[in-house]
mmCIF file of all heavy atoms in Angstrom:
data_model
loop_
_atom_site.group_PDB
_atom_site.id
_atom_site.type_symbol
_atom_site.label_atom_id
_atom_site.label_comp_id
_atom_site.label_asym_id
_atom_site.label_seq_id
_atom_site.Cartn_x
_atom_site.Cartn_y
_atom_site.Cartn_z
ATOM 1 N N PRO A 15 0.815 -1.200 -0.007
ATOM 2 C CA PRO A 15 -0.009 0.032 0.009
ATOM 3 C C PRO A 15 0.856 1.255 0.036
ATOM 4 O O PRO A 15 2.024 1.201 0.473
ATOM 5 C CB PRO A 15 -0.809 -0.121 1.248
ATOM 6 C CG PRO A 15 0.038 -0.987 2.161
ATOM 7 C CD PRO A 15 0.764 -1.935 1.244
ATOM 8 N N PRO A 16 0.354 2.393 -0.505
ATOM 9 C CA PRO A 16 1.126 3.573 -0.528
ATOM 10 C C PRO A 16 1.522 3.988 0.825
ATOM 11 O O PRO A 16 0.831 3.860 1.912
ATOM 12 C CB PRO A 16 0.217 4.591 -1.150
ATOM 13 C CG PRO A 16 -0.922 3.849 -1.721
ATOM 14 C CD PRO A 16 -0.971 2.508 -0.942
ATOM 15 N N ARG A 17 2.777 4.609 0.964
ATOM 16 C CA ARG A 17 3.280 5.097 2.215
ATOM 17 C C ARG A 17 3.842 6.513 1.983
ATOM 18 O O ARG A 17 4.077 6.923 0.847
ATOM 19 C CB ARG A 17 4.437 4.322 2.745
ATOM 20 C CG ARG A 17 4.011 2.862 3.086
ATOM 21 C CD ARG A 17 3.264 2.749 4.357
ATOM 22 N NE ARG A 17 4.121 2.770 5.476
ATOM 23 C CZ ARG A 17 3.675 2.485 6.690
ATOM 24 N NH1 ARG A 17 2.477 2.370 6.921
ATOM 25 N NH2 ARG A 17 4.586 2.439 7.733
ATOM 26 N N PRO A 18 3.927 7.317 2.982
ATOM 27 C CA PRO A 18 4.461 8.697 2.828
ATOM 28 C C PRO A 18 5.831 8.611 2.195
ATOM 29 O O PRO A 18 6.588 7.675 2.374
ATOM 30 C CB PRO A 18 4.556 9.228 4.275
ATOM 31 C CG PRO A 18 3.556 8.399 5.088
ATOM 32 C CD PRO A 18 3.556 7.079 4.415
ATOM 33 N N ALA A 19 6.228 9.634 1.427
ATOM 34 C CA ALA A 19 7.507 9.663 0.777
ATOM 35 C C ALA A 19 8.662 9.468 1.869
ATOM 36 O O ALA A 19 8.574 9.997 2.933
ATOM 37 C CB ALA A 19 7.641 11.004 0.092
ATOM 38 N N GLY A 20 9.603 8.715 1.421
ATOM 39 C CA GLY A 20 10.740 8.461 2.342
ATOM 40 C C GLY A 20 10.541 7.329 3.339
ATOM 41 O O GLY A 20 11.455 6.997 4.056
ATOM 42 N N ARG A 21 9.362 6.731 3.355
ATOM 43 C CA ARG A 21 9.074 5.631 4.343
ATOM 44 C C ARG A 21 8.811 4.392 3.534
ATOM 45 O O ARG A 21 7.937 4.460 2.692
ATOM 46 C CB ARG A 21 7.894 5.969 5.180
ATOM 47 C CG ARG A 21 8.146 7.181 6.115
ATOM 48 C CD ARG A 21 8.947 6.910 7.338
ATOM 49 N NE ARG A 21 8.347 5.770 8.088
ATOM 50 C CZ ARG A 21 8.893 5.182 9.052
ATOM 51 N NH1 ARG A 21 10.155 5.459 9.372
ATOM 52 N NH2 ARG A 21 8.325 4.245 9.720
ATOM 53 N N LEU A 22 9.475 3.319 3.879
ATOM 54 C CA LEU A 22 9.249 2.027 3.203
ATOM 55 C C LEU A 22 8.333 1.225 4.131
ATOM 56 O O LEU A 22 8.434 1.271 5.331
ATOM 57 C CB LEU A 22 10.538 1.315 2.923
ATOM 58 C CG LEU A 22 11.461 1.921 1.952
ATOM 59 C CD1 LEU A 22 12.775 1.128 1.911
ATOM 60 C CD2 LEU A 22 10.883 1.993 0.574
ATOM 61 N N LEU A 23 7.497 0.468 3.523
ATOM 62 C CA LEU A 23 6.676 -0.414 4.336
ATOM 63 C C LEU A 23 7.555 -1.599 4.808
ATOM 64 O O LEU A 23 8.101 -2.355 4.060
ATOM 65 C CB LEU A 23 5.539 -1.064 3.355
ATOM 66 C CG LEU A 23 4.618 -2.087 4.035
ATOM 67 C CD1 LEU A 23 3.759 -1.406 5.201
ATOM 68 C CD2 LEU A 23 3.771 -2.754 3.070
ATOM 69 N N LEU A 24 7.634 -1.689 6.117
ATOM 70 C CA LEU A 24 8.444 -2.732 6.748
ATOM 71 C C LEU A 24 7.707 -4.026 6.966
ATOM 72 O O LEU A 24 8.245 -5.111 6.864
ATOM 73 C CB LEU A 24 9.037 -2.255 8.057
ATOM 74 C CG LEU A 24 9.904 -1.118 7.958
ATOM 75 C CD1 LEU A 24 10.420 -0.684 9.390
ATOM 76 C CD2 LEU A 24 11.158 -1.274 7.065
ATOM 77 N N THR A 25 6.396 -3.937 7.269
ATOM 78 C CA THR A 25 5.591 -5.092 7.488
ATOM 79 C C THR A 25 4.392 -5.060 6.609
ATOM 80 O O THR A 25 3.566 -4.130 6.662
ATOM 81 C CB THR A 25 5.150 -5.163 9.002
ATOM 82 O OG1 THR A 25 6.229 -5.129 9.859
ATOM 83 C CG2 THR A 25 4.478 -6.446 9.297
ATOM 84 N N PRO A 26 4.245 -6.060 5.769
ATOM 85 C CA PRO A 26 3.071 -6.101 4.866
ATOM 86 C C PRO A 26 1.740 -6.254 5.556
ATOM 87 O O PRO A 26 1.727 -6.876 6.678
ATOM 88 C CB PRO A 26 3.367 -7.327 3.929
ATOM 89 C CG PRO A 26 4.194 -8.154 4.709
ATOM 90 C CD PRO A 26 4.999 -7.308 5.621
ATOM 91 N N GLN A 27 0.700 -5.709 4.981
ATOM 92 C CA GLN A 27 -0.638 -5.944 5.515
ATOM 93 C C GLN A 27 -1.016 -7.381 5.439
ATOM 94 O O GLN A 27 -0.706 -7.998 4.388
ATOM 95 C CB GLN A 27 -1.627 -5.118 4.823
ATOM 96 C CG GLN A 27 -1.517 -3.621 5.125
ATOM 97 C CD GLN A 27 -2.567 -2.824 4.447
ATOM 98 O OE1 GLN A 27 -3.256 -3.252 3.506
ATOM 99 N NE2 GLN A 27 -2.665 -1.525 4.826
ATOM 100 N N ASP A 28 -1.646 -7.963 6.429
ATOM 101 C CA ASP A 28 -1.936 -9.478 6.383
ATOM 102 C C ASP A 28 -3.477 -9.648 6.701
ATOM 103 O O ASP A 28 -3.855 -9.733 7.858
ATOM 104 C CB ASP A 28 -1.078 -10.027 7.550
ATOM 105 C CG ASP A 28 -1.205 -11.554 7.577
ATOM 106 O OD1 ASP A 28 -1.968 -12.107 6.819
ATOM 107 O OD2 ASP A 28 -0.550 -12.154 8.420
ATOM 108 N N SER A 29 -4.151 -9.715 5.631
ATOM 109 C CA SER A 29 -5.678 -9.812 5.771
ATOM 110 C C SER A 29 -6.040 -11.207 6.273
ATOM 111 O O SER A 29 -7.197 -11.395 6.677
ATOM 112 C CB SER A 29 -6.323 -9.522 4.390
ATOM 113 O OG SER A 29 -5.875 -10.489 3.429
ATOM 114 N N GLU A 30 -5.173 -12.177 6.189
ATOM 115 C CA GLU A 30 -5.518 -13.544 6.598
ATOM 116 C C GLU A 30 -5.189 -13.784 8.088
ATOM 117 O O GLU A 30 -5.378 -14.897 8.641
ATOM 118 C CB GLU A 30 -4.780 -14.633 5.823
ATOM 119 C CG GLU A 30 -5.267 -14.522 4.347
ATOM 120 C CD GLU A 30 -4.612 -15.693 3.563
ATOM 121 O OE1 GLU A 30 -3.645 -16.347 3.972
ATOM 122 O OE2 GLU A 30 -5.119 -15.881 2.359
ATOM 123 N N ALA A 31 -4.620 -12.792 8.817
ATOM 124 C CA ALA A 31 -4.133 -12.963 10.179
ATOM 125 C C ALA A 31 -5.264 -13.422 11.074
ATOM 126 O O ALA A 31 -5.088 -14.375 11.900
ATOM 127 C CB ALA A 31 -3.523 -11.714 10.750
ATOM 128 N N PRO A 32 -6.573 -12.913 11.039
ATOM 129 C CA PRO A 32 -7.557 -13.385 12.016
ATOM 130 C C PRO A 32 -7.832 -14.888 11.714
ATOM 131 O O PRO A 32 -8.004 -15.636 12.699
ATOM 132 C CB PRO A 32 -8.749 -12.526 11.615
ATOM 133 C CG PRO A 32 -8.154 -11.253 11.113
ATOM 134 C CD PRO A 32 -6.942 -11.709 10.324
ATOM 135 N N ALA A 33 -7.955 -15.259 10.438
ATOM 136 C CA ALA A 33 -8.262 -16.724 10.157
ATOM 137 C C ALA A 33 -7.087 -17.578 10.620
ATOM 138 O O ALA A 33 -7.330 -18.664 11.093
ATOM 139 C CB ALA A 33 -8.588 -16.858 8.664
ATOM 140 N N ARG A 34 -5.897 -17.150 10.331
ATOM 141 C CA ARG A 34 -4.710 -17.858 10.748
ATOM 142 C C ARG A 34 -4.685 -18.006 12.285
ATOM 143 O O ARG A 34 -4.352 -19.163 12.714
ATOM 144 C CB ARG A 34 -3.502 -17.207 10.250
ATOM 145 C CG ARG A 34 -2.126 -17.975 10.712
ATOM 146 C CD ARG A 34 -0.915 -17.239 10.212
ATOM 147 N NE ARG A 34 -0.968 -16.902 8.799
ATOM 148 C CZ ARG A 34 -1.116 -15.568 8.482
ATOM 149 N NH1 ARG A 34 -1.146 -14.625 9.446
ATOM 150 N NH2 ARG A 34 -1.272 -15.284 7.274
ATOM 151 N N THR A 35 -4.965 -17.023 13.035
ATOM 152 C CA THR A 35 -4.964 -17.114 14.429
ATOM 153 C C THR A 35 -5.985 -18.146 14.930
ATOM 154 O O THR A 35 -5.619 -18.988 15.781
ATOM 155 C CB THR A 35 -5.314 -15.701 15.044
ATOM 156 O OG1 THR A 35 -4.354 -14.739 14.630
ATOM 157 C CG2 THR A 35 -5.335 -15.764 16.590
ATOM 158 N N LEU A 36 -7.138 -18.223 14.351
ATOM 159 C CA LEU A 36 -8.098 -19.187 14.746
ATOM 160 C C LEU A 36 -7.660 -20.611 14.395
ATOM 161 O O LEU A 36 -7.759 -21.559 15.142
ATOM 162 C CB LEU A 36 -9.435 -18.902 14.003
ATOM 163 C CG LEU A 36 -10.248 -17.690 14.577
ATOM 164 C CD1 LEU A 36 -11.460 -17.518 13.668
ATOM 165 C CD2 LEU A 36 -10.643 -17.920 16.043
ATOM 166 N N ARG A 37 -7.060 -20.758 13.193
ATOM 167 C CA ARG A 37 -6.520 -22.029 12.721
ATOM 168 C C ARG A 37 -5.452 -22.584 13.729
ATOM 169 O O ARG A 37 -5.355 -23.695 14.082
ATOM 170 C CB ARG A 37 -6.079 -21.989 11.329
ATOM 171 C CG ARG A 37 -5.468 -23.229 10.723
ATOM 172 C CD ARG A 37 -6.629 -24.076 10.241
ATOM 173 N NE ARG A 37 -6.047 -25.290 9.531
ATOM 174 C CZ ARG A 37 -6.481 -26.501 9.721
ATOM 175 N NH1 ARG A 37 -7.506 -26.768 10.488
ATOM 176 N NH2 ARG A 37 -5.869 -27.483 9.055
ATOM 177 N N LEU A 38 -4.539 -21.610 14.073
ATOM 178 C CA LEU A 38 -3.499 -22.065 14.945
ATOM 179 C C LEU A 38 -3.940 -22.549 16.248
ATOM 180 O O LEU A 38 -3.465 -23.501 16.901
ATOM 181 C CB LEU A 38 -2.446 -20.887 15.081
ATOM 182 C CG LEU A 38 -1.533 -20.559 13.886
ATOM 183 C CD1 LEU A 38 -0.788 -19.293 14.111
ATOM 184 C CD2 LEU A 38 -0.583 -21.754 13.601
ATOM 185 N N ARG A 39 -4.893 -21.843 16.785
ATOM 186 C CA ARG A 39 -5.531 -22.202 18.052
ATOM 187 C C ARG A 39 -6.226 -23.571 18.009
ATOM 188 O O ARG A 39 -6.096 -24.381 18.837
ATOM 189 C CB ARG A 39 -6.561 -21.107 18.613
ATOM 190 C CG ARG A 39 -5.831 -19.885 19.026
ATOM 191 C CD ARG A 39 -6.816 -18.878 19.621
ATOM 192 N NE ARG A 39 -6.167 -17.687 20.008
ATOM 193 C CZ ARG A 39 -6.710 -16.452 19.895
ATOM 194 N NH1 ARG A 39 -7.908 -16.232 19.543
ATOM 195 N NH2 ARG A 39 -5.993 -15.455 20.258
ATOM 196 N N ARG A 40 -6.879 -23.738 16.861
ATOM 197 C CA ARG A 40 -7.590 -25.079 16.736
ATOM 198 C C ARG A 40 -6.577 -26.224 16.659
ATOM 199 O O ARG A 40 -6.817 -27.329 17.062
ATOM 200 C CB ARG A 40 -8.416 -25.095 15.420
ATOM 201 C CG ARG A 40 -9.701 -24.282 15.562
ATOM 202 C CD ARG A 40 -10.527 -24.421 14.311
ATOM 203 N NE ARG A 40 -11.766 -23.579 14.432
ATOM 204 C CZ ARG A 40 -12.171 -22.747 13.528
ATOM 205 N NH1 ARG A 40 -11.569 -22.581 12.403
ATOM 206 N NH2 ARG A 40 -13.238 -22.024 13.717
ATOM 207 N N LEU A 41 -5.395 -25.917 16.038
ATOM 208 C CA LEU A 41 -4.358 -26.897 15.869
ATOM 209 C C LEU A 41 -3.457 -27.015 17.084
ATOM 210 O O LEU A 41 -2.639 -27.944 17.219
ATOM 211 C CB LEU A 41 -3.520 -26.652 14.686
ATOM 212 C CG LEU A 41 -4.224 -26.738 13.282
ATOM 213 C CD1 LEU A 41 -3.216 -26.216 12.211
ATOM 214 C CD2 LEU A 41 -4.671 -28.074 12.988
ATOM 215 N N GLY A 42 -3.589 -26.108 18.062
ATOM 216 C CA GLY A 42 -2.813 -26.045 19.254
ATOM 217 C C GLY A 42 -1.325 -25.679 18.909
ATOM 218 O O GLY A 42 -0.470 -26.239 19.600
ATOM 219 N N LEU A 43 -1.142 -24.894 17.981
ATOM 220 C CA LEU A 43 0.224 -24.482 17.506
ATOM 221 C C LEU A 43 0.489 -23.016 17.865
ATOM 222 O O LEU A 43 -0.440 -22.235 17.897
ATOM 223 C CB LEU A 43 0.405 -24.722 16.046
ATOM 224 C CG LEU A 43 0.330 -26.187 15.571
ATOM 225 C CD1 LEU A 43 0.312 -26.238 14.086
ATOM 226 C CD2 LEU A 43 1.533 -26.955 16.144
ATOM 227 N N GLY A 44 1.732 -22.638 18.091
ATOM 228 C CA GLY A 44 2.139 -21.308 18.178
ATOM 229 C C GLY A 44 1.953 -20.636 19.574
ATOM 230 O O GLY A 44 1.944 -19.510 19.693
ATOM 231 N N GLN A 45 1.684 -21.456 20.572
ATOM 232 C CA GLN A 45 1.514 -20.926 21.941
ATOM 233 C C GLN A 45 2.612 -21.299 22.913
ATOM 234 O O GLN A 45 2.766 -20.638 23.935
ATOM 235 C CB GLN A 45 0.128 -21.448 22.482
ATOM 236 C CG GLN A 45 -0.997 -21.106 21.640
ATOM 237 C CD GLN A 45 -1.242 -19.490 21.543
ATOM 238 O OE1 GLN A 45 -1.164 -18.870 22.647
ATOM 239 N NE2 GLN A 45 -1.447 -18.969 20.424
ATOM 240 N N GLN A 46 3.345 -22.386 22.638
ATOM 241 C CA GLN A 46 4.417 -22.832 23.556
ATOM 242 C C GLN A 46 5.483 -23.483 22.734
ATOM 243 O O GLN A 46 5.266 -23.957 21.667
ATOM 244 C CB GLN A 46 3.783 -23.839 24.490
ATOM 245 C CG GLN A 46 3.215 -25.148 23.882
ATOM 246 C CD GLN A 46 2.480 -25.927 24.874
ATOM 247 O OE1 GLN A 46 2.206 -25.459 25.986
ATOM 248 N NE2 GLN A 46 2.127 -27.117 24.470
ATOM 249 N N PRO A 47 6.710 -23.503 23.327
ATOM 250 C CA PRO A 47 7.832 -24.183 22.662
ATOM 251 C C PRO A 47 7.510 -25.621 22.586
ATOM 252 O O PRO A 47 6.863 -26.277 23.435
ATOM 253 C CB PRO A 47 9.057 -23.972 23.560
ATOM 254 C CG PRO A 47 8.626 -22.804 24.435
ATOM 255 C CD PRO A 47 7.125 -22.829 24.548
ATOM 256 N N GLU A 48 7.943 -26.307 21.541
ATOM 257 C CA GLU A 48 7.713 -27.745 21.340
ATOM 258 C C GLU A 48 9.065 -28.363 21.105
ATOM 259 O O GLU A 48 9.801 -28.126 20.146
ATOM 260 C CB GLU A 48 6.817 -28.031 20.131
ATOM 261 C CG GLU A 48 5.433 -27.349 20.355
ATOM 262 C CD GLU A 48 4.387 -27.977 19.517
ATOM 263 O OE1 GLU A 48 4.449 -29.156 19.083
ATOM 264 O OE2 GLU A 48 3.394 -27.293 19.262
ATOM 265 N N PRO A 49 9.467 -29.342 21.954
ATOM 266 C CA PRO A 49 10.739 -30.044 21.783
ATOM 267 C C PRO A 49 10.964 -30.632 20.388
ATOM 268 O O PRO A 49 12.093 -30.545 19.873
ATOM 269 C CB PRO A 49 10.746 -31.100 22.863
ATOM 270 C CG PRO A 49 9.787 -30.573 23.941
ATOM 271 C CD PRO A 49 8.777 -29.804 23.164
ATOM 272 N N ALA A 50 9.908 -31.223 19.865
ATOM 273 C CA ALA A 50 10.090 -31.811 18.482
ATOM 274 C C ALA A 50 10.375 -30.706 17.477
ATOM 275 O O ALA A 50 11.212 -31.010 16.514
ATOM 276 C CB ALA A 50 8.857 -32.562 18.105
ATOM 277 N N LEU A 51 9.808 -29.536 17.575
ATOM 278 C CA LEU A 51 10.084 -28.454 16.663
ATOM 279 C C LEU A 51 11.483 -27.852 16.909
ATOM 280 O O LEU A 51 12.197 -27.396 16.007
ATOM 281 C CB LEU A 51 9.003 -27.465 16.670
ATOM 282 C CG LEU A 51 7.666 -27.956 16.139
ATOM 283 C CD1 LEU A 51 6.617 -26.886 16.235
ATOM 284 C CD2 LEU A 51 7.796 -28.579 14.819
ATOM 285 N N ASP A 52 11.906 -27.781 18.211
ATOM 286 C CA ASP A 52 13.261 -27.452 18.513
ATOM 287 C C ASP A 52 14.297 -28.359 17.842
ATOM 288 O O ASP A 52 15.302 -27.862 17.198
ATOM 289 C CB ASP A 52 13.482 -27.380 20.052
ATOM 290 C CG ASP A 52 12.957 -26.084 20.663
ATOM 291 O OD1 ASP A 52 12.632 -25.138 20.017
ATOM 292 O OD2 ASP A 52 12.795 -26.188 21.911
ATOM 293 N N ALA A 53 14.059 -29.645 17.923
ATOM 294 C CA ALA A 53 14.931 -30.616 17.298
ATOM 295 C C ALA A 53 14.901 -30.516 15.775
ATOM 296 O O ALA A 53 15.976 -30.576 15.132
ATOM 297 C CB ALA A 53 14.472 -32.055 17.696
ATOM 298 N N PHE A 54 13.759 -30.200 15.196
ATOM 299 C CA PHE A 54 13.637 -29.844 13.769
ATOM 300 C C PHE A 54 14.493 -28.661 13.342
ATOM 301 O O PHE A 54 15.277 -28.665 12.441
ATOM 302 C CB PHE A 54 12.174 -29.672 13.376
ATOM 303 C CG PHE A 54 11.952 -29.390 11.911
ATOM 304 C CD1 PHE A 54 11.704 -30.375 11.057
ATOM 305 C CD2 PHE A 54 11.932 -28.135 11.496
ATOM 306 C CE1 PHE A 54 11.482 -30.175 9.702
ATOM 307 C CE2 PHE A 54 11.789 -27.849 10.093
ATOM 308 C CZ PHE A 54 11.541 -28.860 9.160
ATOM 309 N N ALA A 55 14.445 -27.624 14.221
ATOM 310 C CA ALA A 55 15.170 -26.419 13.951
ATOM 311 C C ALA A 55 16.727 -26.725 14.084
ATOM 312 O O ALA A 55 17.515 -26.249 13.307
ATOM 313 C CB ALA A 55 14.799 -25.354 14.915
ATOM 314 N N ASP A 56 17.083 -27.478 15.080
ATOM 315 C CA ASP A 56 18.450 -27.950 15.249
ATOM 316 C C ASP A 56 19.020 -28.641 14.009
ATOM 317 O O ASP A 56 20.081 -28.360 13.504
ATOM 318 C CB ASP A 56 18.653 -28.897 16.424
ATOM 319 C CG ASP A 56 18.487 -28.175 17.808
ATOM 320 O OD1 ASP A 56 18.596 -26.987 17.775
ATOM 321 O OD2 ASP A 56 18.247 -28.921 18.746
ATOM 322 N N ARG A 57 18.223 -29.605 13.466
ATOM 323 C CA ARG A 57 18.556 -30.315 12.281
ATOM 324 C C ARG A 57 18.727 -29.353 11.004
ATOM 325 O O ARG A 57 19.593 -29.512 10.160
ATOM 326 C CB ARG A 57 17.675 -31.473 11.955
ATOM 327 C CG ARG A 57 17.740 -32.624 12.974
ATOM 328 C CD ARG A 57 16.986 -33.836 12.537
ATOM 329 N NE ARG A 57 15.538 -33.568 12.358
ATOM 330 C CZ ARG A 57 14.633 -33.576 13.335
ATOM 331 N NH1 ARG A 57 14.958 -33.853 14.590
ATOM 332 N NH2 ARG A 57 13.347 -33.356 13.029
ATOM 333 N N LEU A 58 17.735 -28.420 11.002
ATOM 334 C CA LEU A 58 17.794 -27.469 9.858
ATOM 335 C C LEU A 58 18.946 -26.532 9.919
ATOM 336 O O LEU A 58 19.647 -26.313 8.912
ATOM 337 C CB LEU A 58 16.481 -26.618 9.865
ATOM 338 C CG LEU A 58 16.305 -25.637 8.742
ATOM 339 C CD1 LEU A 58 16.366 -26.288 7.388
ATOM 340 C CD2 LEU A 58 15.011 -24.898 8.925
#
């Protein structure tokens, strides 16, 4: 979206954020650290 001259958009608008938040809650994701995902990050 347009921004004032000299200012760059740092964070894009995210129209799917409300639906994503509900989906994450339903899946039980994104609220706490998970050892299996820490191990995945270690391997990555």
Side-chain angles (χ1 to χ4, degrees):
R17 297 287 275 187
R21 296 284 300 171
L22 293 174
L23 176 68
L24 298 181
T25 307
Q27 290 182 347
D28 184 0
S29 62
E30 294 183 351
R34 180 181 314 105
T35 300
L36 289 174
R37 180 80 173 139
L38 288 170
R39 286 184 184 147
R40 286 183 182 135
L41 296 173
L43 295 170
Q45 299 298 314
Q46 61 189 12
E48 299 199 24
L51 295 181
D52 282 342
F54 181 91
D56 290 342
R57 289 190 302 274
L58 183 58

